[in-house]
């Protein structure tokens, strides 16, 4: 009897069975026969992963919308390839009507995921613990939330064309700008944690292999950055032309070189013992990627090899109206991979650094006693998700959904290659995308510089 009472008390501490079934099996408050197959895990982690799964599902649907077979079926919808007067539109301009349909479908699909997560951003404001009734909505009722997402998606596909795509493009540009900064913060935090752990391993094991590993990856990232600069000068610039591209590449190369010097200055090292060239090399490589992505949107065929001249009856069409684009070009593929990794990073990890947790609205990694307690709960739950937020949430529900809002906007711009809807129902490449990405790279470099010099400028504040 005493053993049963102790087990009952431990189960109550771990959370009710209904809540565990809810998070593990996505069945609301109803029992689920498959729960025994699910590994024991925290409610906070399970919920974030499922919401991220909703986002990835939207991304998958968007990718399918761009396939030629699906584009042919989209002609049946009322908003595709028709003028306001109802007359069929003759495809013209930069891409054909099929690609235009796919892009407009992506706009609507990403609008639905953005609206879905923005709804939860407002709904989950100021949730402090799982005792708040709204926490049950965050961590359960998955079937009904999926129905809400489907309903918003169906409604989005019947939004009249009008100026929707043009206005939504600018929302996407702003959201993508902010998400690029979030990606850089996550990469800097990852590099800091990586550097710190390998240095600790080197001291514990008294082995130079860890130092050699740090040196190797630092050298590799700088070598890739230099190679990227060389290739960008070869393919995106020409003598006597492409002056904007030369300025962008030269400025970002200079900024990265200066930041690398600042990162190893003695005063910076005294204030930030964990700062070093590994972090600077990661920032430099990411900056070069953003620069490359920006140059791939330059609306000038001389300076952008990703703009192809369309062949029609074996004749090359001259002028800007003859430009087509490769939608699945290398910058888009790399950007999609970085997007997936960073989104998963947001979902499953808390930072080891207080400033990053403050910025991302997450708790610090649990200490030893907390880890032991959670391991005991996992053993008791036996394949169920347990409630680890009764005393306080481990992340800001509202800010997490806001990050997914920005992620939805960013992936929309990535899949559509940042092409803006034109005046004649075309999708055109503009300087807006170029400047948004370049400014985001500059803002990211400034943010990293601030993390290096802030302890020197504000000595009275704790930056440990």
């Amino acid at each position: 009897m005493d053993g049963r009472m102790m087990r009952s008390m431990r189960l109550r501490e771990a959370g009710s069975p209904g809540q565990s079934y809810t998070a593990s099996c996505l069945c609301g408050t109803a029992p689920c026969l498959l729960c025994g197959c699910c590994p024991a895990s925290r409610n906070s982690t399970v919920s974030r992963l499922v919401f991220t799964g909703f986002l990835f599902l939207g991304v998958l649907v968007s990718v399918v919308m761009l396939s030629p077979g699906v584009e042919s079926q989209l002609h049946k919808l009322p908003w595709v390839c028709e003028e306001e007067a109802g007359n069929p539109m003759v495809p013209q301009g930069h891409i054909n009507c099929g690609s235009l349909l796919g892009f407009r479908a992506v706009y609507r699909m990403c609008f639905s995921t953005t609206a879905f997560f923005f709804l939860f951003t407002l709904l989950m404001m100021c949730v402090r613990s799982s005792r708040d009734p709204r926490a049950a909505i965050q961590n359960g009722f998955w079937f009904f939330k999926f129905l809400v997402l489907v309903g918003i998606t169906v409604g989005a596909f019947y939004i009249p064309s009008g100026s929707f795509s043009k206005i939504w493009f600018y929302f996407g540009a702003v959201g993508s700008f902010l998400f690029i900064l979030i990606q850089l913060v996550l990469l800097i935090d990852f590099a800091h944690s990586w550097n710190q752990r390998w240095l600790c391993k080197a001291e514990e094991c008294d082995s130079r292999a860890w130092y050699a590993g740090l040196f190797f990856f630092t050298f590799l990232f700088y070598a890739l950055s230099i190679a990227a600069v060389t290739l960008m000068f070869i393919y995106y610039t020409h003598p006597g032309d492409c002056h904007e591209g030369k300025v962008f590449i030269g400025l970002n190369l200079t900024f990265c070189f200066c930041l690398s010097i600042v990162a190893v200055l003695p005063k910076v090292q005294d204030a930030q013992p964990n700062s070093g060239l590994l972090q600077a090399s990661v920032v430099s490589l990411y900056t070069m990627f953003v620069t490359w992505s920006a140059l791939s949107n330059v609306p000038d065929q001389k300076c952008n090899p990703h703009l192809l001249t369309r062949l029609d009856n074996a004749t090359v069409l001259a002028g800007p109206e003859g430009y087509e684009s490769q939608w699945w070009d290398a910058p888009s593929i790399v950007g999609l991979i970085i997007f997936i990794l960073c989104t998963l990073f947001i979902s499953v990890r808390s930072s080891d650094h207080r400033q990053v947790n403050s910025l991302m609205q997450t708790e610090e990694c649990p200490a030893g006693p907390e880890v032991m307690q959670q391991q005991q709960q996992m053993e008791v739950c036996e394949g169920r998700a347990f409630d680890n937020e009764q005393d306080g949430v481990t992340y800001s529900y509202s800010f997490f959904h806001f990050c997914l809002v920005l992620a939805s906007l960013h992936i929309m711009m990535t899949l559509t290659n940042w092409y803006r809807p034109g005046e004649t129902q075309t999708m055109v490449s503009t300087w807006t995308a170029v400047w948004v990405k370049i400014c985001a790279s500059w803002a990211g470099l400034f943010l990293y510089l601030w993390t290096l010099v802030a302890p020197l400028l504000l000595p009275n504040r704790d930056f440990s």
Side-chain angles (χ1 to χ4, degrees):
M1 291 294 294
D2 293 340
R4 292 182 179 178
M5 292 179 61
M6 291 293 295
R7 180 178 177 84
S8 176
M9 292 176 62
R10 292 168 67 187
L11 280 173
R12 277 196 291 268
E13 292 177 357
S16 66
Q19 291 173 335
S20 301
Y21 281 117
T22 296
S24 299
C25 305
L26 319 182
C27 297
T29 56
C32 177
L33 296 177
L34 298 178
C35 284
C37 301
C38 303
S41 54
R42 304 175 185 86
N43 245 357
S44 58
T45 302
V46 172
S47 298
R48 283 181 284 183
L49 285 175
V50 176
F51 276 115
T52 303
F54 283 174
L55 174 62
F56 287 166
L57 179 62
V59 174
L60 178 61
V61 173
S62 299
V63 172
V64 172
M65 291 291 184
L66 293 173
S67 63
V70 174
E71 288 172 357
S72 62
Q73 297 297 320
L74 294 179
H75 281 275
K76 301 177 182 179
L77 295 179
W79 46 267
V80 294
C81 279
E82 293 181 359
E83 296 287 1
E84 295 181 358
N87 298 324
M89 184 198 75
V90 178
Q92 58 179 330
H94 298 243
I95 58 177
N96 58 35
C97 188
S99 297
L100 179 63
L101 296 177
F103 277 32
R104 293 166 71 179
V106 171
Y107 268 45
R108 281 158 172 76
M109 186 65 234
C110 292
F111 171 82
S112 64
T113 56
T114 302
F116 176 77
F117 292 122
F118 185 72
L119 174 65
F120 277 90
T121 299
L122 299 178
L123 184 62
M124 295 299 161
M125 283 185 174
C126 301
V127 175
R128 304 301 182 189
S129 70
S130 60
R131 295 184 177 90
D132 192 307
R134 292 174 294 172
I137 301 176
Q138 169 77 6
N139 299 316
F141 303 101
W142 297 108
F143 177 73
F144 299 103
K145 286 188 283 195
F146 179 74
L147 290 182
V148 171
L149 178 59
V150 171
I152 296 175
T153 302
V154 173
F157 273 81
Y158 284 91
I159 297 176
S161 291
S163 58
F164 168 76
S165 297
K166 300 175 186 177
I167 296 175
W168 196 236
F169 168 84
Y170 291 103
F171 276 93
V174 174
S176 187
F177 174 87
L178 296 175
F179 192 76
I180 290 174
L181 296 183
I182 290 178
Q183 285 182 331
L184 182 61
V185 170
L186 296 176
L187 288 173
I188 294 174
D189 177 51
F190 172 75
H192 270 294
S193 301
W194 181 8
N195 184 68
Q196 185 175 356
R197 289 175 183 176
W198 280 30
L199 288 178
C200 291
K201 290 286 186 180
E203 294 177 358
E204 292 175 1
C205 302
D206 193 19
S207 172
R208 294 183 179 180
W210 298 101
Y211 293 112
L214 289 175
F215 174 79
F216 169 76
F217 281 105
T218 301
F219 177 80
L220 175 65
F221 294 152
Y222 274 125
L224 291 175
S225 301
I226 295 173
V229 170
T230 304
L231 293 174
M232 283 188 289
F233 270 117
I234 293 174
Y235 290 103
Y236 293 90
T237 64
H238 294 283
D241 203 352
C242 308
H243 302 293
E244 297 87 354
K246 295 176 182 177
V247 171
F248 294 151
I249 300 171
L251 280 177
N252 281 352
L253 175 62
T254 304
F255 292 155
C256 291
F257 178 76
C258 294
L259 282 178
S260 300
I261 294 177
V262 172
V264 294
L265 290 177
K267 290 187 177 180
V268 173
Q269 288 287 303
D270 292 339
Q272 296 271 34
N274 291 323
S275 69
L277 289 179
L278 178 65
Q279 298 92 314
S281 65
V282 171
V283 172
S284 299
L285 183 59
Y286 182 72
T287 301
M288 292 308 157
F289 162 71
V290 176
T291 307
W292 175 38
S293 180
L295 295 179
S296 68
N297 287 115
V298 172
D300 185 350
Q301 192 181 27
K302 296 179 181 179
C303 308
N304 185 1
H306 297 283
L307 284 178
L308 301 181
T309 302
R310 184 174 57 203
L311 296 178
D312 192 5
N313 296 326
T315 302
V316 178
L317 301 179
E321 294 302 317
Y323 292 161
E324 268 190 352
S325 177
Q326 292 174 303
W327 305 122
W328 288 107
D329 53 12
S332 298
I333 295 174
V334 176
L336 182 61
I337 295 173
I338 295 176
F339 161 83
I340 293 174
L341 294 177
C342 288
T343 306
L344 288 174
F345 198 73
I346 294 173
S347 303
V348 300
R349 186 178 183 275
S350 294
S351 175
D352 298 327
H353 299 89
R354 186 181 307 170
Q355 283 71 32
V356 176
N357 285 316
S358 178
L359 178 64
M360 300 300 296
Q361 299 293 300
T362 56
E363 275 192 354
E364 296 183 17
C365 295
E370 296 179 3
V371 172
M372 293 292 295
Q373 182 180 2
Q374 291 182 4
Q375 289 178 348
Q376 293 176 358
Q377 289 179 331
M378 293 172 67
E379 294 175 358
V380 171
C381 289
E382 297 177 353
R384 302 174 183 174
F386 64 90
D387 184 4
N388 63 321
E389 298 181 308
Q390 291 184 350
D391 297 328
V393 296
T394 59
Y395 66 101
S396 170
Y397 292 174
S398 182
F399 187 79
F400 170 72
H401 289 294
F402 181 69
C403 288
L404 295 186
V405 168
L406 300 181
S408 300
L409 295 172
H410 178 70
I411 196 61
M412 179 186 75
M413 304 304 290
T414 300
L415 293 178
T416 59
N417 212 9
W418 287 74
Y419 267 42
R420 179 179 60 82
E423 299 296 333
T424 57
Q425 299 283 17
T426 60
M427 301 290 286
V428 296
S429 181
T430 66
W431 282 101
T432 303
V434 179
W435 279 107
V436 167
K437 293 181 180 181
I438 290 296
C439 291
S441 70
W442 292 342
L445 291 172
F446 175 79
L447 182 63
Y448 177 60
L449 176 63
W450 174 252
T451 64
L452 296 176
V453 302
L456 300 178
L457 300 178
L458 302 172
N460 295 326
R461 294 191 59 181
D462 181 17
F463 290 94
S464 60

